[in-house]
Every structure is written in structure tokens, then in C-alpha cells.
Amino acid sequence: MFTSVLMIEQPLTPVDVDFVTTLHGDESVSFVVLMQPRGDRDRLLRAIDDVALGELPDAIREGDEPEGDAARGPAELALEHSLASLRRKGAKAVGQIIEDHPLDKLKAVVDETGADEVIVLTAPHYVEEFFHRDWASRARHKVGVPVLKLFAHKE
């Protein structure tokens, strides 16, 4: 069975689920999903990304998004939704919320599970990507397995 560690920051959409569950054809796939709640340190970067994408209303609403402890509940719901969606497609899926040091946790999960790959599925983060500070760029130097970066779909 092929094992993928899937890093996400929002619930998987049906398009995302279809895509990640069919990446390896008919091969059975197991997912370990790592969900990171939104953090207040990322608010400015998210707003800049929204502006870069021409999504000004989203940039204005960044201050209304739950953060810190308030973001944990929505993150848990997003994780459960995503796991259920993957399982409905026939994949094995487990997951957890990661709050501190996501790349250290990613490395530990890859090592513990013997994962074959990491898939980073996030919204575009232009500022971080430009400076190679996004999860995928940083993970490529840390985890020792292939890292695939995909852009999440909006519903």
C-alpha cells in the first residue's frame, strides 16, 4: 500500500479528494492527514495573497477569521470532514491537528509511518513561495521523500 502524508490548511473539496485519491491509479493509498489551524502570525501574509489573487473582499475579512484556540474547533471539523471524504473514496485515512512546528511534526510522521511521499495541498501563498518559505519548499529539504505541491480548490 502506498502511504501519503497530506498537509492541509482547509477542508478538502470533492475535487481535491478526487485528485489525491487518483494520483496513483489503481494502487491502494493510505493517507495521514496533517491539518494546521490558521495562525495569527499568518494573517498579513494571507491578506497579501488575497490581494495578489484579486480577492479584495477576502483580504478585508482576514481579521474576522478565528485564530489561536478559536481556530482549533473549525480545524477539527475540517479534519474530520476531510478524513470522511477520503474514506468514502476507499482510501485509508487517519489524521491529526498540528499546531506547533509543523515541519518537525511532518518529518516525524514520515519517519514513523514509512511514508512514500508528502503532498502539500494549500491555497497559493505567493509571498512565502517567492522566498521559498512555504511548506513544500521547506519540506523538500527535511523529509527525505518526494514532496508534491498542489493548490487546493475552493468550493
Side-chain angles (χ1 to χ4, degrees), residues 31-122:
F31 291 95
V32 179
V33 181
L34 302 179
M35 172 79 189
Q36 184 176 31
R38 298 173 73 101
D40 56 357
R41 68 185 178 278
D42 301 327
R43 184 184 314 167
L44 177 60
L45 291 175
R46 290 192 315 259
I48 291 170
D49 289 337
D50 290 338
V51 170
L53 290 168
E55 298 173 355
L56 296 177
D58 289 344
I60 293 167
R61 287 190 296 271
E62 281 298 338
D64 299 334
E65 290 290 328
E67 296 175 344
D69 289 340
R72 183 154 180 100
E76 289 172 351
L77 290 173
L79 177 61
E80 287 305 315
H81 166 81
S82 298
L83 293 174
S85 297
L86 290 166
R87 290 174 187 144
R88 277 193 299 275
K89 284 291 186 175
K92 291 186 178 183
V94 297
Q96 60 185 289
I97 302 293
I98 53 170
E99 296 182 72
D100 297 319
H101 311 291
L103 292 173
D104 292 339
K105 184 61 177 179
L106 173 63
K107 172 71 171 144
V109 168
V110 167
D111 291 344
E112 290 166 11
T113 62
D116 299 293
E117 71 180 356
V118 170
I119 300 172
V120 177
L121 184 68
T122 65

